Amino acid sequence: MANSNEQVTGKPMNKIAMMALLMIGSFVIILMQTSLGTALPALMTAFNVDSATVQWLTTIFLMVNGIMVPVSAYMTTRIPTKYLYLSALAVYILGTFMAWTAPTSAFWVMMLARALQAMAAGIVMPLMQVVALTLFSENSRGKALGSIGLVIGMAPAIGPTLSGWILDGKHKFLGLTWGGDWRSIFGLVLPLAIIVFFLSIFYFKNVLETQKVSLDIRSLIESTVGFGFLLFGFAMVSNHGWGSFSYVITPIIVGVLVIAEFTRHQLHMEKPFLDVKVLMNKQFALTTTMVSLTFIAMLGVEMVLPTYMQTVRGLTALDSGLTLLPGALMMGLISPIAGSFYDKYGAKRLAIFGFALVTMATLPYYFLTAETPTIYITALYMVRMAGIAFTMMPLTSSAMGALPKEQNAQGTAVNNTARQIAASLGTAVLASVMQSVANDNMPANSLKAADPLAYGSKAITATLDGFHTSFFVAACFAFAAFVLAFFLHSGKVNQPEGKEK
C-alpha cells in the first residue's frame, strides 16, 4: 500500500491515512456485533428483563445490519464517500452514546441504540471494500482486501473476549479506573469513534463517483421487508426451534417470497436498487457462494464452541473468550499474507489449502469430551482461523475481480448480503442441530430422582452429542466449500473492462 499521496478522481489524498481511518472506524463499529454476547446476563439484571427479551439486543443488530447492506449499494452510488462515512460514524456515535447512558427503566432506548449501531455497520462494511477496490490497483488489491480481513474477521472474534474482560472487574489505564459493568463496553469504544470522526473530516476524501439515481421506494420496501423477515426467522430458531410456525416458518416463507418478488423487480429495472444480475457472472456467483460457506463455518463454530466450554467445561465467559483469542490473532496475522499470495497466485490454490485446513481442524471437535485439554481446543481453533484467513479475502478479491469496475458497489452489496444471510442461517442451523440432538438424547426426568449421578452423567453425554453433531455439520459446510474450490478459475482473475454483456 505504498505511494500514499496519489491522484484518485483528480484530487490529492493520503491513501494510507484514509484506509487506516476506515479500518479503525469499521473495526470499532463491527466490534459491537458480538460484544454484548457475554454481557447479556448483566443486562438482564440491570434492565429487569428475561432472557428472551434481552436476546433482542443481538437479534435487532443482525436484522438491521442485514437490511442495511442491500441499501448500501444505492447510498454508495448516490452519496459522496466522505459524507457517507462521516454519517455512518455519526449514527454509530449517537447509538453508542445512547447505549452508554441508557436509563435502566427504558429497555427500548437500548434497542434503539443497537439499531443505530447496526445501521452504521451495514454501511461501513460494504463501503470499506468498495473504497479499497477503488484506491488500489489490481496488482495490490489482494493485499488491500487482505488487510480488511483483519477487521471483518477479527472484530467479531475479539468482541466477546473484550467485553468479558471489561465485565471481569475494575481496570486501571492512564490513571483512570473503569470496567466492571456493562456501560464500560460502550464507554470504551465511544472516544475512539469520536477521534476517528474528527480525523476523517480532514483526511477522508470523496473517491467514488456518484450518480443522481432516484430512490425506488418499492425496491426499498421490498428489500427491507424481505431481508428483515428472513433474518428474523433465522434469529428466532435458537429460541423457538424450526417447528415454530409463528416465529420461524412464517417469517422465513414471507421473507423468501418477498425477496423473490424483489429479485424479479430488480431484473426488470434499468437502474436496479440492487443489481442481482451480477450473479449471472459464474465466477462471481461461485466465489460468493464459497465466501458464504466460509462465514457459516467461521461464525457457526464461534457461537457453538464457547457454549461447549461454558456448559460442559464450566469455564467463565472471559476464560472461554480467551481460549479463542489466539485464533482471532492468527487470522489477523495470516489475512495480509493471504492477500499478498492472492496478488501472485490467485484464489484457487489458497482456497483449496484453506478449506482443507478448516475441514481437518473442525472434524476433531466431533470427538471432544468433558476432559479434552483446553490447549488442544485452542490449537485446533488457531488452525481453523488460519484456514479461514487463507480463503475469505482472497475469495472476495476474486469475486470482485470478476466484475467490471463500475459494478464494484453493486457486487460488494450482493456479496455482503449473501454473507450476512449465510452467517444468520449457519448460526441458526448449528444452534438448532446442537439443541435438537441434545434434547433427543436427554435422559428421562424420572432418573433424576432415582439416580442423580447417573442422570448427570447421561445429561452431559447428551449435551456432548449435540455439540458433536453441530461440529460435524460445520465440517460438512467446510468440505462442501473445499470441493467447490476445485472449480475456481486458476490464477488471478483480471477485472474486465466495461459492463458485462
Side-chain angles (χ1 to χ4, degrees):
M1 297 162 99
N3 303 324
S4 59
N5 295 301
E6 291 186 5
Q7 298 283 332
V8 177
T9 65
K11 296 180 181 179
M13 64 186 65
N14 189 316
K15 290 173 19 174
I16 290 183
M18 273 192 64
M19 282 304 299
L21 287 170
L22 187 55
M23 289 174 63
I24 294 171
S26 300
F27 185 91
V28 171
I29 292 173
I30 298 171
L31 191 69
M32 281 294 108
Q33 181 174 337
T34 56
S35 289
L36 285 196
T38 50
L40 293 182
L43 290 164
M44 287 171 59
T45 302
F47 286 90
N48 193 28
V49 294
D50 57 25
S51 59
T53 301
V54 80
Q55 191 64 42
W56 270 98
L57 295 178
T58 299
T59 303
I60 196 71
F61 191 101
L62 293 173
M63 285 179 58
V64 175
N65 186 17
I67 290 169
M68 287 301 299
V69 171
V71 181
S72 69
Y74 167 79
M75 300 179 78
T76 303
T77 304
R78 187 69 179 84
I79 304 173
T81 320
K82 178 176 180 176
Y83 302 114
L84 181 57
Y85 185 52
L86 288 175
S87 298
L89 285 171
V91 169
Y92 176 78
I93 290 169
L94 174 61
T96 305
F97 180 78
M98 287 176 60
W100 182 42
T101 59
T104 53
S105 59
F107 185 72
W108 66 269
V109 174
M110 278 294 291
M111 289 280 289
L112 178 58
R114 289 292 284 169
L116 291 173
Q117 289 182 325
M119 286 178 64
I123 294 171
V124 299
M125 280 185 66
L127 182 65
M128 180 170 53
Q129 290 179 221
V130 178
V131 169
L133 290 168
T134 303
L135 283 180
F136 296 93
S137 66
E138 242 182 281
N139 293 333
S140 58
R141 182 168 295 160
K143 187 176 180 181
L145 290 180
S147 299
I148 289 175
L150 290 169
V151 175
I152 296 176
M154 286 185 66
I158 289 177
T161 306
L162 179 63
S163 59
W165 177 67
I166 291 172
L167 292 168
D168 195 47
K170 296 288 185 179
H171 306 281
K172 288 188 177 182
F173 181 70
L174 297 177
L176 300 175
T177 301
W178 56 275
D181 68 332
W182 61 269
R183 293 188 189 274
S184 298
I185 297 173
F186 302 102
L188 175 66
V189 298
L190 185 58
L192 186 55
I194 293 173
I195 292 171
V196 172
F197 177 85
F198 281 107
L199 288 176
S200 297
I201 293 175
F202 302 101
Y203 288 99
F204 216 83
K205 306 295 180 183
N206 295 320
V207 299
L208 305 176
E209 294 183 5
T210 57
Q211 302 174 22
K212 291 185 178 180
V213 181
S214 59
L215 177 61
D216 184 63
I217 301 299
R218 174 181 169 181
S219 295
L220 177 61
I221 294 173
E222 289 179 345
S223 171
T224 302
V225 173
F227 290 109
F229 270 88
L230 186 66
L231 293 169
F232 172 81
F234 289 149
M236 290 294 103
V237 170
S238 59
N239 290 331
H240 300 279
W242 288 100
S244 173
F245 188 79
S246 300
Y247 289 95
V248 177
I249 297 175
T250 298
I252 290 177
I253 291 175
V254 171
V256 169
L257 292 176
V258 175
I259 291 173
E261 169 55 27
F262 169 77
T263 302
R264 189 199 67 78
H265 182 51
Q266 300 310 297
L267 291 173
H268 289 84
M269 291 180 67
E270 183 179 349
K271 291 185 177 180
F273 181 79
L274 184 66
D275 191 2
V276 293
K277 290 180 181 177
V278 296
L279 291 171
M280 295 179 183
N281 183 308
K282 293 181 181 179
Q283 181 70 17
F284 177 84
L286 177 60
T287 47
T288 298
T289 300
M290 293 174 66
V291 167
S292 299
L293 290 171
T294 303
F295 261 68
I296 291 175
M298 180 177 74
L299 294 181
V301 171
E302 278 184 5
M303 179 275 299
V304 174
L305 200 53
T307 306
Y308 154 79
M309 289 187 290
Q310 291 175 47
T311 58
V312 176
R313 302 295 301 278
L315 297 180
T316 64
L318 174 60
D319 288 337
S320 64
L322 289 173
T323 302
L324 303 186
L325 184 59
L329 298 177
M330 174 63 75
M331 184 171 186
L333 176 66
I334 298 295
S335 288
I337 298 173
S340 297
F341 283 170
Y342 170 77
D343 288 330
K344 294 180 180 177
Y345 307 112
K348 183 172 183 176
R349 283 187 283 180
L350 288 172
I352 292 173
F353 176 68
F355 283 121
L357 285 181
V358 176
T359 304
M360 290 188 296
T362 304
L363 280 174
Y365 284 151
Y366 182 80
F367 302 99
L368 291 181
T369 68
E371 293 80 30
T372 302
T374 303
I375 188 67
Y376 176 72
I377 297 171
T378 301
L380 286 175
Y381 189 73
M382 289 176 69
V383 175
R384 287 189 84 257
M385 296 303 281
I388 288 169
F390 276 116
T391 60
M392 187 167 63
M393 294 321 295
L395 285 172
T396 302
S397 301
S398 182
M400 300 313 300
L403 300 176
K405 187 176 181 179
E406 62 267 19
Q407 291 185 328
N408 280 348
Q410 292 285 351
T412 299
V414 171
N415 188 276
N416 278 273
T417 300
R419 192 163 60 192
Q420 188 71 26
I421 293 173
S424 299
L425 173 61
T427 301
V429 168
L430 294 186
S432 62
V433 165
M434 175 185 69
Q435 196 63 49
S436 176
V437 173
N439 291 341
D440 290 344
N441 292 306
M442 199 64 68
N445 286 329
S446 58
L447 185 62
K448 186 185 294 185
D451 191 344
L453 290 178
Y455 177 87
S457 176
K458 290 185 177 181
I460 292 176
T461 301
T463 303
L464 279 172
D465 288 340
F467 286 118
H468 291 162
T469 307
S470 184
F471 289 132
F472 180 77
V473 172
C476 290
F477 279 118
F479 182 73
F482 171 75
V483 173
L484 288 177
F486 287 92
F487 296 92
L488 283 173
H489 180 279
S490 296
K492 187 177 178 181
V493 177
N494 295 315
Q495 192 163 41
E497 295 292 334
K499 293 184 179 181
E500 290 271 298
K501 299 291 184 184

